[in-house]
Amino acid sequence: ELKQEIIRTLTADNPHIPRDIVRFSFKERAYKLVDDMDHTAIHFTLNGYLVHKDSDEGRRQSIRSSIEAGSFIEEAPVETSAEATEEGEAKDEEPTEDAEEEGERAEEAEAAEAAEAAEEAGAAEEEEPPPVKAPEKKLPNQFNFIERSSTTYHYPLREKGLQTDPAPFETFSDNVNQWYIYDAYMEELERQQRAKEKEKTKPAAVKKEDMKTGRKLSYVEPPHVESLSKVAKAAKIAERMVNLNMFDDIAQDFKYFEDASDEFRGQEGTLLPLWKFQYEKTKKLAVTAISWNPKYKDLFAVGYGSYDFMKQGHGMLLLYTLKNPSFPEYSFSSESGIMCLDFHSDHSHLLAVGFYDGNVAIYNLKKASSQPSYKSSAKSGKHTEPVWQVKWQKDDMDNNSNFFSVSSDGRIVSWTLVKNELVHMDVIKLSADGTTMQGPEGLQLLGSGTSFDFHKKIDHLFLVGTEEGKIYKCSKSYSSQFLDVFEAHHMSVDSISWNPFHMKVFISCSSDWTVKIWDHTIKTPMFVYDLRTAVGDVAWSPYSSTVFAAVTIDGQAHVFDLNINKLEPLCTQLVVTRKKNKTTHIQFNPVYPVILVGDEQGLITCLKLSPNLRKKPK
């Protein structure tokens, strides 16, 4: 595509003229197509008042202006007019008898006019005192023309809103309009000065807010300065262009590079490292959640917190785009670590977040606010332990947005956005002592939830993974019992996910080193993969029902394709090179052949799948 030559032929044809215009021909008595359409496009037209100084009208105007100027000057020398000069020049050039006669007549006429003017001037001197000498009036520049109606007149100051000068009616309305504009301008100036004084009186309060939790945009956007917002938008575009130039080789690889060595590897593939996303303030925080935006395919959200319950602190929520890997588009801080997040599938600006302290919140990216738009509290039924996963659901019957959350306290809660507040309802409660609820075949419902996922087609059906390693199949319709239980793992279920193509299949991973693929109608797993270390996360691919990827805490990423090899991964590659660093999460991009891998040092690595890893099934 880069080497392809595209020839563009520029013509004088107007592409916007109407085609196939038909008019009646009286000669042939039939409707005929009009072929010779006028392609001239007039972009600007102005009726000017300029006159060239060498033209006849220009000479007349110059003579008239010179005579007017000479009449006000005392004892002004009588100059020969332009016409006489022209006649004199013509006389020099063509010394004919007719020309000589015409010249004599012109001289006699001028002498008579000068004598009359002298007599009038003498009579005026006897009657009146001599007038003050007026400065010589300069001729107007014919090519520097200003229309008279566009000039501003200097009117006297008004008194009590009325005009004191008896100006003509035509100029009175213009004067009133000018005062209206003046009043509006002065009011705006006073308002800006008051706003500046208020800002000066509150410097400490603003700093305190910034020191607390705050959202910091990649550019400054004052609320009432439109010009700065325009500059910020231009600066944002310029920043992306600079980044694109800096990482041009990576952008070329992302768009065009295909690993040709796949042909010689047989069925195996590789992961090509692309961009690395890291923010200065998140280097000591672990990546706890990754989610791609459903509308903008290059935008993704990253949650930062800590999985070590002894080292809990603040958290951060960053939104990056592939167009600018050097700096996040949005940045939010939180007092508690973020453990999970999820974008709304229909309203892509809504982001649900779960925190380590048990709260859930909704961030609205359309609002320039440092705090979440909606947040739970102890009064509104927040969880008592960390929220491990949140998932948006379809809007309810009243078109209210709602999402579900699962926590270590054993509660699965439905949160509904009703009249600008979060209303909670416990969907199911996992009992820790096993005394309150009985499942089918006398199985006791034990444990605290760590992950869950809702079925893609059956709205009420969902799966819950617990810290004890069991997976429960539940329904929204039954709040007091579950449908089935799977003795899945020996340790905590870190992730669980339904297959996006096959409606019966789901996948789970655990810290017991295994990844298992299940049919929800069968109690035993269909596939079991031992990855020889704890598995942090697993994800299905969006382009094939048989491809999935997993990350382990030793810093490796594993990509499987059951259609090609049911026993071993097609690719096992080290993503994190530092010691004492663990990979925590992995996500496929819904459109592009790239994956994101997060680690405990706050680093996001973007990798491109080679052709062998993204073969679509027939």
Side-chain angles (χ1 to χ4, degrees):
E1 291 180 11
L2 289 173
K3 295 179 181 179
Q4 182 181 358
E5 292 186 359
I6 299 174
I7 299 173
R8 291 187 178 180
T9 305
L10 301 179
T11 64
D13 295 342
N14 184 3
H16 301 295
I17 63 169
R19 308 288 180 183
D20 302 333
I21 289 187
V22 179
R23 288 178 181 161
F24 187 77
S25 173
F26 290 96
K27 182 178 180 180
E28 301 182 17
R29 299 197 175 186
Y31 285 96
K32 294 290 183 181
L33 283 173
V34 179
D35 296 331
D36 52 341
M37 295 296 295
D38 185 13
H39 290 266
T40 304
I42 299 173
H43 298 286
F44 179 76
T45 179
L46 175 67
N47 294 326
Y49 302 100
L50 300 180
V51 178
H52 198 278
K53 64 179 184 179
D54 293 336
S55 64
D56 295 338
E57 181 64 25
R59 290 194 186 96
R60 294 192 196 97
Q61 289 188 9
S62 62
I63 293 167
R64 192 180 304 119
S65 59
S66 61
I67 291 173
E68 290 175 358
S71 63
F72 288 101
I73 299 174
E74 184 181 6
E75 297 179 356
V78 180
E79 297 179 359
T80 58
S81 64
E83 294 178 0
T85 306
E86 287 179 6
E87 292 169 0
E89 290 176 358
K91 177 183 177 182
D92 294 339
E93 292 173 1
E94 299 178 3
T96 58
E97 295 179 358
D98 297 337
E100 289 177 0
E101 292 176 0
E102 289 177 1
E104 291 174 359
R105 292 173 189 167
E107 288 176 1
E108 291 175 1
E110 286 175 5
E113 288 177 1
E116 290 177 3
E119 289 177 4
E120 291 176 2
E125 284 177 1
E126 294 174 359
E127 295 175 0
E128 297 178 2
V132 182
K133 290 185 179 181
E136 184 178 355
K137 188 175 181 181
K138 293 183 179 180
L139 296 179
N141 186 351
Q142 300 293 338
F143 293 95
N144 187 13
F145 179 74
I146 299 175
E147 191 176 359
R148 184 165 173 251
S149 61
S150 66
T151 58
T152 304
Y153 298 97
H154 297 282
Y155 292 105
L157 292 176
R158 55 184 178 164
E159 295 179 1
K160 298 181 181 181
L162 296 175
Q163 186 182 6
T164 57
D165 183 44
F169 177 76
E170 290 82 10
T171 60
F172 180 75
S173 59
D174 295 338
N175 193 15
V176 172
N177 291 335
Q178 289 176 9
W179 286 122
Y180 282 140
I181 296 171
Y182 176 79
D183 290 341
Y185 174 77
M186 294 304 294
E187 289 175 4
E188 178 67 17
L189 198 62
E190 290 176 4
R191 190 188 65 79
Q192 290 183 4
Q193 289 177 352
R194 286 197 299 268
K196 286 181 181 178
E197 290 175 359
K198 286 182 181 179
E199 289 177 0
K200 289 180 181 178
T201 55
K202 297 181 181 179
V206 174
K207 287 183 180 177
K208 286 181 181 178
E209 288 180 4
D210 291 342
M211 290 297 290
K212 291 181 181 179
T213 62
R215 169 193 184 184
K216 293 184 179 178
L217 297 175
S218 57
Y219 56 86
V220 182
E221 188 175 359
H224 59 274
V225 184
E226 294 182 0
S227 58
L228 276 183
S229 64
K230 293 179 181 178
V231 173
K233 187 176 181 181
K236 193 174 189 179
I237 296 171
E239 183 187 20
R240 290 188 179 184
M241 293 171 66
V242 171
N243 276 284
L244 189 62
N245 292 333
M246 288 173 58
F247 302 104
D248 181 61
D249 51 345
I250 298 178
Q252 297 286 349
D253 290 344
F254 165 74
K255 185 70 176 176
Y256 300 109
F257 180 76
E258 301 295 348
D259 195 350
S261 60
D262 274 16
E263 299 177 3
F264 308 101
R265 287 198 179 96
Q267 297 173 343
E268 295 182 355
T270 57
L271 295 172
L272 175 68
L274 296 176
W275 301 281
K276 293 183 184 296
F277 301 86
Q278 192 164 27
Y279 190 46
E280 190 68 28
K281 297 182 180 179
T282 59
K283 286 186 176 179
K284 295 182 180 179
L285 298 175
V287 176
T288 55
I290 303 173
S291 179
W292 288 96
N293 190 288
K295 183 177 180 181
Y296 303 100
K297 307 303 181 184
D298 60 300
L299 186 70
F300 62 93
V302 187
Y304 293 89
S306 176
Y307 286 119
D308 188 352
F309 69 92
M310 296 293 290
K311 297 179 181 179
Q312 285 300 318
H314 75 287
M316 287 203 76
L317 170 62
L318 302 181
L319 278 88
Y320 283 100
T321 173
L322 299 180
K323 300 174 183 176
N324 184 6
S326 62
F327 201 81
E329 294 292 302
Y330 299 91
S331 173
F332 301 91
S333 292
S334 60
E335 295 178 356
S336 177
I338 292 175
M339 306 309 294
C340 54
L341 49 85
D342 187 36
F343 274 110
H344 198 290
S345 58
D346 297 327
H347 310 291
S348 58
H349 59 280
L350 294 180
L351 185 63
V353 177
F355 297 96
Y356 188 86
D357 60 2
N359 277 312
V360 295
I362 297 176
Y363 286 89
N364 188 346
L365 302 181
K366 287 185 176 181
K367 295 183 179 179
S369 172
S370 61
Q371 300 299 324
S373 300
Y374 314 97
K375 190 174 182 179
S376 63
S377 62
K379 294 181 180 179
S380 60
K382 83 176 190 72
H383 293 282
T384 56
E385 293 192 35
V387 181
W388 292 109
Q389 201 157 4
V390 289
K391 288 280 185 182
W392 284 100
Q393 295 298 295
K394 292 181 180 178
D395 294 351
D396 60 12
M397 301 290 287
D398 297 326
N399 292 327
N400 294 322
S401 299
N402 66 97
F403 65 95
F404 280 61
S405 63
V406 63
S407 170
S408 301
D409 61 4
R411 294 166 60 212
I412 297 174
V413 181
S414 170
W415 302 88
T416 307
L417 194 59
V418 181
K419 293 182 179 178
N420 295 329
E421 64 175 349
L422 281 174
V423 178
H424 81 286
M425 183 184 71
D426 287 4
V427 177
I428 197 168
K429 182 168 175 57
L430 308 175
S431 173
D433 54 8
T435 57
T436 56
M437 288 175 278
Q438 294 289 325
E441 301 177 7
L443 294 173
Q444 292 181 351
L445 182 58
L446 301 173
S448 53
T450 56
S451 59
F452 71 149
D453 193 27
F454 287 84
H455 198 275
K456 302 294 187 289
K457 296 291 183 182
I458 308 172
D459 291 337
H460 63 83
L461 189 64
F462 64 97
L463 300 167
V464 183
T466 61
E467 286 183 356
E468 289 72 27
K470 293 178 181 176
I471 296 176
Y472 297 101
K473 184 167 72 171
C474 307
S475 172
K476 297 179 187 176
S477 306
Y478 303 98
S479 60
S480 60
Q481 58 182 338
F482 54 92
L483 304 179
D484 208 346
V485 64
F486 301 89
E487 298 289 340
H489 298 278
H490 302 294
M491 294 180 71
S492 172
V493 180
D494 293 326
S495 179
I496 189 169
S497 177
W498 287 99
N499 190 295
F501 298 96
H502 200 295
M503 295 299 106
K504 290 185 178 181
V505 176
F506 67 91
I507 194 170
S508 64
C509 72
S510 171
S511 301
D512 64 358
W513 301 8
T514 60
V515 173
K516 297 183 180 181
I517 298 177
W518 306 76
D519 185 324
H520 78 88
T521 59
I522 305 172
K523 286 294 189 71
T524 56
M526 296 187 294
F527 296 96
V528 179
Y529 298 99
D530 187 351
L531 301 184
R532 300 179 184 177
T533 184
V535 185
D537 194 12
V538 68
W540 289 106
S541 75
Y543 54 84
S544 174
S545 61
T546 58
V547 177
F548 66 92
V551 288
T552 51
I553 61 171
D554 59 354
Q556 289 187 331
H558 309 261
V559 183
F560 292 80
D561 190 347
L562 305 179
N563 192 37
I564 297 175
N565 192 336
K566 295 181 176 64
L567 304 176
E568 294 179 350
L570 299 185
C571 174
T572 299
Q573 189 167 319
L574 189 66
V575 178
V576 176
T577 56
R578 294 183 184 176
K579 294 181 180 179
K580 296 183 180 179
N581 194 3
K582 304 174 184 178
T583 48
T584 56
H585 284 277
I586 187 169
Q587 278 292 327
F588 282 86
N589 185 284
V591 175
Y592 306 116
V594 295
I595 58 173
L596 293 177
V597 177
D599 60 30
E600 282 195 336
Q601 301 294 328
L603 179 67
I604 300 287
T605 306
C606 182
L607 304 118
K608 184 176 182 179
L609 301 159
S610 67
N612 279 357
L613 301 181
R614 44 189 167 96
K615 291 181 179 177
K616 295 183 180 180
K618 295 181 181 178

